[in-house]
PDB file of all heavy atoms in Angstrom:
ATOM      1  N   LEU A  31      25.982   2.402  -6.951  1.00  0.00           N
ATOM      2  CA  LEU A  31      25.730   2.186  -5.529  1.00  0.00           C
ATOM      3  C   LEU A  31      25.969   3.494  -4.783  1.00  0.00           C
ATOM      4  O   LEU A  31      27.104   3.969  -4.696  1.00  0.00           O
ATOM      5  CB  LEU A  31      26.644   1.085  -4.992  1.00  0.00           C
ATOM      6  CG  LEU A  31      26.476   0.738  -3.507  1.00  0.00           C
ATOM      7  CD1 LEU A  31      25.065   0.277  -3.209  1.00  0.00           C
ATOM      8  CD2 LEU A  31      27.494  -0.337  -3.100  1.00  0.00           C
ATOM      9  N   ALA A  32      24.900   4.063  -4.239  1.00  0.00           N
ATOM     10  CA  ALA A  32      24.999   5.365  -3.571  1.00  0.00           C
ATOM     11  C   ALA A  32      25.179   5.236  -2.062  1.00  0.00           C
ATOM     12  O   ALA A  32      25.407   6.237  -1.385  1.00  0.00           O
ATOM     13  CB  ALA A  32      23.754   6.198  -3.870  1.00  0.00           C
ATOM     14  N   GLY A  33      25.073   4.013  -1.541  1.00  0.00           N
ATOM     15  CA  GLY A  33      25.262   3.825  -0.104  1.00  0.00           C
ATOM     16  C   GLY A  33      24.644   2.544   0.387  1.00  0.00           C
ATOM     17  O   GLY A  33      23.872   1.900  -0.323  1.00  0.00           O
ATOM     18  N   GLU A  34      25.015   2.159   1.612  1.00  0.00           N
ATOM     19  CA  GLU A  34      24.461   0.949   2.217  1.00  0.00           C
ATOM     20  C   GLU A  34      24.174   1.204   3.681  1.00  0.00           C
ATOM     21  O   GLU A  34      24.769   2.093   4.309  1.00  0.00           O
ATOM     22  CB  GLU A  34      25.413  -0.226   2.040  1.00  0.00           C
ATOM     23  CG  GLU A  34      26.819   0.025   2.538  1.00  0.00           C
ATOM     24  CD  GLU A  34      27.778  -1.079   2.124  1.00  0.00           C
ATOM     25  OE1 GLU A  34      28.316  -1.010   1.010  1.00  0.00           O
ATOM     26  OE2 GLU A  34      27.973  -2.015   2.938  1.00  0.00           O
ATOM     27  N   ALA A  35      23.238   0.444   4.240  1.00  0.00           N
ATOM     28  CA  ALA A  35      22.826   0.642   5.627  1.00  0.00           C
ATOM     29  C   ALA A  35      22.646  -0.694   6.315  1.00  0.00           C
ATOM     30  O   ALA A  35      22.332  -1.705   5.678  1.00  0.00           O
ATOM     31  CB  ALA A  35      21.524   1.442   5.668  1.00  0.00           C
ATOM     32  N   ARG A  36      22.817  -0.675   7.658  1.00  0.00           N
ATOM     33  CA  ARG A  36      22.677  -1.899   8.450  1.00  0.00           C
ATOM     34  C   ARG A  36      21.450  -1.877   9.351  1.00  0.00           C
ATOM     35  O   ARG A  36      21.159  -2.867  10.014  1.00  0.00           O
ATOM     36  CB  ARG A  36      23.940  -2.103   9.300  1.00  0.00           C
ATOM     37  CG  ARG A  36      25.216  -2.341   8.496  1.00  0.00           C
ATOM     38  CD  ARG A  36      25.263  -3.722   7.877  1.00  0.00           C
ATOM     39  NE  ARG A  36      25.249  -4.783   8.845  1.00  0.00           N
ATOM     40  CZ  ARG A  36      26.337  -5.248   9.460  1.00  0.00           C
ATOM     41  NH1 ARG A  36      27.532  -4.728   9.199  1.00  0.00           N
ATOM     42  NH2 ARG A  36      26.241  -6.240  10.329  1.00  0.00           N
ATOM     43  N   ASP A  37      20.744  -0.748   9.419  1.00  0.00           N
ATOM     44  CA  ASP A  37      19.492  -0.709  10.160  1.00  0.00           C
ATOM     45  C   ASP A  37      18.540   0.296   9.517  1.00  0.00           C
ATOM     46  O   ASP A  37      18.933   1.053   8.622  1.00  0.00           O
ATOM     47  CB  ASP A  37      19.711  -0.407  11.651  1.00  0.00           C
ATOM     48  CG  ASP A  37      20.256   0.989  11.914  1.00  0.00           C
ATOM     49  OD1 ASP A  37      19.735   1.974  11.344  1.00  0.00           O
ATOM     50  OD2 ASP A  37      21.212   1.106  12.704  1.00  0.00           O
ATOM     51  N   GLY A  38      17.290   0.302   9.986  1.00  0.00           N
ATOM     52  CA  GLY A  38      16.277   1.139   9.370  1.00  0.00           C
ATOM     53  C   GLY A  38      16.539   2.624   9.488  1.00  0.00           C
ATOM     54  O   GLY A  38      16.237   3.391   8.571  1.00  0.00           O
ATOM     55  N   GLN A  39      17.106   3.048  10.629  1.00  0.00           N
ATOM     56  CA  GLN A  39      17.383   4.470  10.803  1.00  0.00           C
ATOM     57  C   GLN A  39      18.458   4.942   9.829  1.00  0.00           C
ATOM     58  O   GLN A  39      18.353   6.013   9.219  1.00  0.00           O
ATOM     59  CB  GLN A  39      17.831   4.749  12.238  1.00  0.00           C
ATOM     60  CG  GLN A  39      18.054   6.223  12.537  1.00  0.00           C
ATOM     61  CD  GLN A  39      16.791   7.045  12.373  1.00  0.00           C
ATOM     62  OE1 GLN A  39      15.833   6.870  13.118  1.00  0.00           O
ATOM     63  NE2 GLN A  39      16.768   7.940  11.395  1.00  0.00           N
ATOM     64  N   GLN A  40      19.513   4.132   9.689  1.00  0.00           N
ATOM     65  CA  GLN A  40      20.572   4.458   8.726  1.00  0.00           C
ATOM     66  C   GLN A  40      20.013   4.535   7.312  1.00  0.00           C
ATOM     67  O   GLN A  40      20.352   5.437   6.547  1.00  0.00           O
ATOM     68  CB  GLN A  40      21.681   3.401   8.779  1.00  0.00           C
ATOM     69  CG  GLN A  40      22.535   3.418  10.022  1.00  0.00           C
ATOM     70  CD  GLN A  40      23.581   2.315  10.011  1.00  0.00           C
ATOM     71  OE1 GLN A  40      23.726   1.580   9.020  1.00  0.00           O
ATOM     72  NE2 GLN A  40      24.304   2.171  11.105  1.00  0.00           N
ATOM     73  N   LEU A  41      19.136   3.590   6.980  1.00  0.00           N
ATOM     74  CA  LEU A  41      18.567   3.559   5.632  1.00  0.00           C
ATOM     75  C   LEU A  41      17.696   4.782   5.377  1.00  0.00           C
ATOM     76  O   LEU A  41      17.771   5.397   4.306  1.00  0.00           O
ATOM     77  CB  LEU A  41      17.745   2.282   5.431  1.00  0.00           C
ATOM     78  CG  LEU A  41      17.034   2.148   4.081  1.00  0.00           C
ATOM     79  CD1 LEU A  41      18.015   2.260   2.919  1.00  0.00           C
ATOM     80  CD2 LEU A  41      16.267   0.832   4.011  1.00  0.00           C
ATOM     81  N   LEU A  42      16.882   5.144   6.364  1.00  0.00           N
ATOM     82  CA  LEU A  42      16.020   6.313   6.191  1.00  0.00           C
ATOM     83  C   LEU A  42      16.850   7.580   5.969  1.00  0.00           C
ATOM     84  O   LEU A  42      16.539   8.398   5.095  1.00  0.00           O
ATOM     85  CB  LEU A  42      15.124   6.472   7.419  1.00  0.00           C
ATOM     86  CG  LEU A  42      13.909   7.383   7.264  1.00  0.00           C
ATOM     87  CD1 LEU A  42      12.974   6.850   6.178  1.00  0.00           C
ATOM     88  CD2 LEU A  42      13.161   7.510   8.584  1.00  0.00           C
ATOM     89  N   SER A  43      17.916   7.733   6.741  1.00  0.00           N
ATOM     90  CA  SER A  43      18.808   8.891   6.575  1.00  0.00           C
ATOM     91  C   SER A  43      19.482   8.863   5.209  1.00  0.00           C
ATOM     92  O   SER A  43      19.647   9.904   4.556  1.00  0.00           O
ATOM     93  CB  SER A  43      19.875   8.896   7.678  1.00  0.00           C
ATOM     94  OG  SER A  43      19.284   9.006   8.951  1.00  0.00           O
ATOM     95  N   LEU A  44      19.866   7.669   4.784  1.00  0.00           N
ATOM     96  CA  LEU A  44      20.522   7.505   3.484  1.00  0.00           C
ATOM     97  C   LEU A  44      19.581   7.888   2.344  1.00  0.00           C
ATOM     98  O   LEU A  44      19.973   8.582   1.393  1.00  0.00           O
ATOM     99  CB  LEU A  44      20.972   6.054   3.338  1.00  0.00           C
ATOM    100  CG  LEU A  44      21.846   5.676   2.137  1.00  0.00           C
ATOM    101  CD1 LEU A  44      23.146   6.477   2.140  1.00  0.00           C
ATOM    102  CD2 LEU A  44      22.148   4.183   2.170  1.00  0.00           C
ATOM    103  N   ILE A  45      18.334   7.457   2.441  1.00  0.00           N
ATOM    104  CA  ILE A  45      17.341   7.781   1.412  1.00  0.00           C
ATOM    105  C   ILE A  45      17.106   9.290   1.362  1.00  0.00           C
ATOM    106  O   ILE A  45      17.044   9.891   0.288  1.00  0.00           O
ATOM    107  CB  ILE A  45      16.021   7.035   1.683  1.00  0.00           C
ATOM    108  CG1 ILE A  45      16.198   5.524   1.465  1.00  0.00           C
ATOM    109  CG2 ILE A  45      14.900   7.558   0.784  1.00  0.00           C
ATOM    110  CD1 ILE A  45      15.016   4.691   1.927  1.00  0.00           C
ATOM    111  N   GLU A  46      16.990   9.898   2.546  1.00  0.00           N
ATOM    112  CA  GLU A  46      16.736  11.343   2.607  1.00  0.00           C
ATOM    113  C   GLU A  46      17.908  12.134   2.019  1.00  0.00           C
ATOM    114  O   GLU A  46      17.718  13.130   1.333  1.00  0.00           O
ATOM    115  CB  GLU A  46      16.493  11.765   4.055  1.00  0.00           C
ATOM    116  CG  GLU A  46      16.021  13.195   4.192  1.00  0.00           C
ATOM    117  CD  GLU A  46      15.601  13.519   5.617  1.00  0.00           C
ATOM    118  OE1 GLU A  46      15.940  12.741   6.540  1.00  0.00           O
ATOM    119  OE2 GLU A  46      14.926  14.540   5.805  1.00  0.00           O
ATOM    120  N   ARG A  47      19.125  11.664   2.268  1.00  0.00           N
ATOM    121  CA  ARG A  47      20.320  12.375   1.791  1.00  0.00           C
ATOM    122  C   ARG A  47      20.583  12.135   0.312  1.00  0.00           C
ATOM    123  O   ARG A  47      20.846  13.065  -0.453  1.00  0.00           O
ATOM    124  CB  ARG A  47      21.532  11.947   2.618  1.00  0.00           C
ATOM    125  CG  ARG A  47      22.809  12.700   2.248  1.00  0.00           C
ATOM    126  CD  ARG A  47      23.961  12.311   3.140  1.00  0.00           C
ATOM    127  NE  ARG A  47      24.468  10.975   2.869  1.00  0.00           N
ATOM    128  CZ  ARG A  47      24.354   9.951   3.710  1.00  0.00           C
ATOM    129  NH1 ARG A  47      23.739  10.089   4.877  1.00  0.00           N
ATOM    130  NH2 ARG A  47      24.852   8.765   3.398  1.00  0.00           N
ATOM    131  N   GLU A  48      20.507  10.884  -0.119  1.00  0.00           N
ATOM    132  CA  GLU A  48      20.905  10.522  -1.483  1.00  0.00           C
ATOM    133  C   GLU A  48      19.763  10.596  -2.493  1.00  0.00           C
ATOM    134  O   GLU A  48      19.999  10.687  -3.692  1.00  0.00           O
ATOM    135  CB  GLU A  48      21.502   9.114  -1.494  1.00  0.00           C
ATOM    136  CG  GLU A  48      22.794   8.975  -0.705  1.00  0.00           C
ATOM    137  CD  GLU A  48      23.922   9.774  -1.305  1.00  0.00           C
ATOM    138  OE1 GLU A  48      23.885  10.084  -2.520  1.00  0.00           O
ATOM    139  OE2 GLU A  48      24.873  10.099  -0.555  1.00  0.00           O
ATOM    140  N   ARG A  49      18.512  10.484  -2.015  1.00  0.00           N
ATOM    141  CA  ARG A  49      17.326  10.473  -2.887  1.00  0.00           C
ATOM    142  C   ARG A  49      17.525   9.488  -4.059  1.00  0.00           C
ATOM    143  O   ARG A  49      17.531   9.879  -5.225  1.00  0.00           O
ATOM    144  CB  ARG A  49      17.042  11.884  -3.403  1.00  0.00           C
ATOM    145  CG  ARG A  49      16.694  12.811  -2.263  1.00  0.00           C
ATOM    146  CD  ARG A  49      16.485  14.245  -2.655  1.00  0.00           C
ATOM    147  NE  ARG A  49      16.116  15.011  -1.463  1.00  0.00           N
ATOM    148  CZ  ARG A  49      14.881  15.360  -1.130  1.00  0.00           C
ATOM    149  NH1 ARG A  49      13.873  15.021  -1.909  1.00  0.00           N
ATOM    150  NH2 ARG A  49      14.632  16.044  -0.031  1.00  0.00           N
ATOM    151  N   PRO A  50      17.654   8.207  -3.720  1.00  0.00           N
ATOM    152  CA  PRO A  50      17.943   7.200  -4.750  1.00  0.00           C
ATOM    153  C   PRO A  50      16.751   6.895  -5.646  1.00  0.00           C
ATOM    154  O   PRO A  50      15.603   7.193  -5.301  1.00  0.00           O
ATOM    155  CB  PRO A  50      18.318   5.964  -3.919  1.00  0.00           C
ATOM    156  CG  PRO A  50      17.503   6.128  -2.671  1.00  0.00           C
ATOM    157  CD  PRO A  50      17.516   7.609  -2.386  1.00  0.00           C
TER     158      PRO A  50
END
Side-chain angles (χ1 to χ4, degrees):
L31 181 59
E34 54 190 86
R36 296 287 298 275
D37 66 47
Q39 184 62 66
Q40 289 178 5
L41 177 56
L42 196 61
S43 298
L44 188 59
I45 291 171
E46 189 172 15
R47 183 177 72 248
E48 296 295 337
R49 296 176 178 260

